[in-house]
Structures are given as C-alpha cells and as structure tokens.
Amino acid sequence: MHSIKSLGLIVFTAALISACSSNPQRDILTEQEYYREAREAIEDNNMLVAEDRLNRLESQYPFGKYAEQAQLELIYVHFRMADMESVLAQAERFIRLHPLHAQVDYAYYMRGLATYEMGFAFVERYFGDGTDKRNPVPLQDSFAYFDELIKRFPDSAYNTDARARMIYLRERLASYQMEIARYYMKRHAYLAAANRGEEVLTHYQKTHAVADALAIMTEAYELLGLTEESEKALALLTLNHPDHPQLESGTFESSGLTEVDRRSFWNIVSFGLID
C-alpha cells in the first residue's frame, strides 16, 4: 500500500511539473491577439497593460506584420505615461530602423515633442515658470527636430502643431538671450550684453525680444563709447518700436540696469574678493 501511495505521489508531481512547464507556452498569444489587447488597453487608458502587450508582441514576433506598428504604438504609450526619455529613445530607434516607413513622420514629430516637454518640465515642476532662465539646449534641440520634420515631410499632418511650437520656442530662446544680456549689463560687461542683442537680431527676428535687444545695444554701445553703433541701434528702435518703455518723447532713457550692482571694477572681476 505504501508503495502504491508513493507511486501515486510521483505521478502527481510529474504531472504538476509538466503542467507548470507548459504554462508559458499557453501564455504566448498570437500577434493579432497581442495587438488587439494592447489597443483595448489604450482605449481603457491602461497604459501599463498596453506597454506589456506591445513589448511582448515585438519580442515574440519581431518580424511579424504588427511589429513596426507596435513600435509606433509604444512611442504613443510612453508619451501617455509621461516617460519622455523613452519616447525619445523609441522615436530615434524607429527613425533609424525604418527611415522609409509610411508613418515615420510621426516618429520625427514625437522626437521633437518629447524634447520639447523635457525642456520645459523640470524648471516648471520645481521652480515655477522660469522659461527665460532655463538651460536652452533642449529647447534648441526641439526646434531643430521640428524643423527637420517640416523640411523632410512638407505635407505631414503634424506640421501645423510643429510650426506653432517652433514659434513659441523662438520667443523663449530670444527671451533667454535677453536675460543673459541684462545680467551682463548689471555686471558692466557691456560688449557681452551688446553681442547678445546682436544674437537676437540675427537669429530671432520678429520675436518680441527684438525691441529690448535694440534698447540694450543702444545703451551698451553708448557706454562703450561706440557712438555710431549706438545711434544705429537707437534709430532702428525708434523707427520700429516707438512705444518702447525706454523711449520718452523721442528721448532714450537708461534702463537702470547698470545701477543695480554698483560694485567697483576690481570687486566684479575678483568675484568679490577685492572691495
């Protein structure tokens, strides 16, 4: 009797092991099923499930007819999850692997959009609206990515939004240049301030910062003793922006920025070590 019980236990254990080992095989769905479940999860706003199904689809069927679409869907899912680094990585991967895909313009657009969001997210999340003081590099990258989208795909459905974001980015980047120019004026670095104004005139025409750039240049060149350059900047300011706050009855008024920090020259260049 004891031997019969032992034999039964062995048979039961073997059957259990066999069943467990076969479970993973039963868990593998067809690529159509993976894609259907992913789409249903997206519609239900369940991005974790959608991400799982799309990753499984691509892993199990890397050369299937849904594989490329799954990669595009993953870009969207990661965006909905606010995982912009993954959006950027997935978009760049798709562009590299499928440069001739009919929907590759979507990857170009999402690359720009992810970089755009990353450029604004950190400062606004932790420090409030400090767009003029943030690191401009991600914003410059985003502008370049949107520009590439428009040039490569002039008929893309995403170009309208890309153009609108580029206009906004130009304004923010121009404002960043002016914030630095004001900093230089406060530190009596007049040539550096004027150069920032020139940067705005050269690269950010038609932005709101142009008027302030001309005002900074007028004042900075005057303080440098460069009368001709100062008069040219003032003439442009008066002609194009007659309502600028520093123009009072046609007379140019100082911004007062140089009075903000009245430390001596040696105190400035020695970073406060010498009074």
Side-chain angles (χ1 to χ4, degrees), residues 61-238:
Y61 307 98
F63 304 108
K65 66 177 182 178
Y66 288 90
E68 294 176 7
Q69 186 62 32
Q71 293 171 20
L72 287 171
E73 300 281 359
L74 270 173
I75 295 173
Y76 174 75
V77 167
H78 285 139
F79 183 80
R80 289 285 301 277
M81 296 171 72
D83 184 359
M84 299 304 158
E85 291 185 0
S86 292
V87 173
L88 182 60
Q90 288 281 350
E92 289 182 335
R93 175 173 176 256
F94 191 89
I95 291 169
R96 185 177 66 255
L97 294 177
H98 313 290
L100 301 179
H101 193 278
Q103 294 176 278
V104 72
D105 61 325
Y106 175 74
Y108 277 93
Y109 170 70
M110 292 302 290
R111 181 178 65 168
L113 186 58
T115 311
Y116 179 95
E117 293 293 338
M118 287 191 291
F120 284 105
F122 181 79
V123 174
E124 290 178 352
R125 183 178 302 167
Y126 296 104
F127 301 106
D129 185 13
T131 54
D132 296 343
K133 301 178 179 64
R134 73 181 75 248
N135 180 1
V137 173
L139 305 185
Q140 291 169 342
D141 289 343
S142 179
F143 187 94
Y145 290 150
F146 285 136
D147 187 53
E148 185 177 4
L149 163 69
I150 292 170
K151 288 178 179 177
R152 283 181 178 270
F153 308 96
D155 299 324
S156 173
Y158 307 105
N159 286 354
T160 299
D161 184 72
R163 286 191 180 94
R165 293 179 188 275
M166 288 174 71
I167 291 171
Y168 184 71
L169 285 168
R170 280 173 56 83
E171 290 287 349
R172 296 282 65 81
L173 290 167
S175 295
Y176 176 82
Q177 295 294 335
M178 291 314 303
E179 190 66 29
I180 296 177
R182 294 185 188 98
Y183 171 84
Y184 283 140
M185 288 295 288
K186 292 175 184 178
R187 296 295 181 268
H188 305 170
Y190 306 130
L191 182 58
N195 287 339
R196 291 291 174 164
E198 292 279 5
E199 180 78 9
V200 171
L201 294 187
T202 302
H203 298 290
Y204 303 104
Q205 297 178 17
K206 298 182 181 180
T207 64
H208 291 90
V210 168
D212 288 339
L214 288 168
I216 286 281
M217 291 165 62
T218 299
E219 188 170 355
Y221 285 136
E222 183 180 0
L223 291 167
L224 287 167
L226 300 174
T227 305
E228 183 178 352
E229 287 79 357
S230 178
E231 289 177 349
K232 286 181 180 179
L234 179 58
L236 287 171
L237 177 64
T238 304

Side-chain angles (χ1 to χ4, degrees), residues 6-21:
S6 299
L7 179 61
L9 180 61
I10 292 171
V11 171
F12 174 77
T13 302
L16 180 62
I17 293 173
S18 176
C20 290
S21 64

Side-chain angles (χ1 to χ4, degrees), residues 14-35:
L16 180 62
I17 293 173
S18 176
C20 290
S21 64
S22 64
N23 278 339
Q25 295 300 321
R26 289 203 300 265
D27 287 342
I28 297 177
L29 306 177
T30 67
E31 58 179 322
Q32 293 91 339
E33 289 171 330
Y34 277 131
Y35 185 72

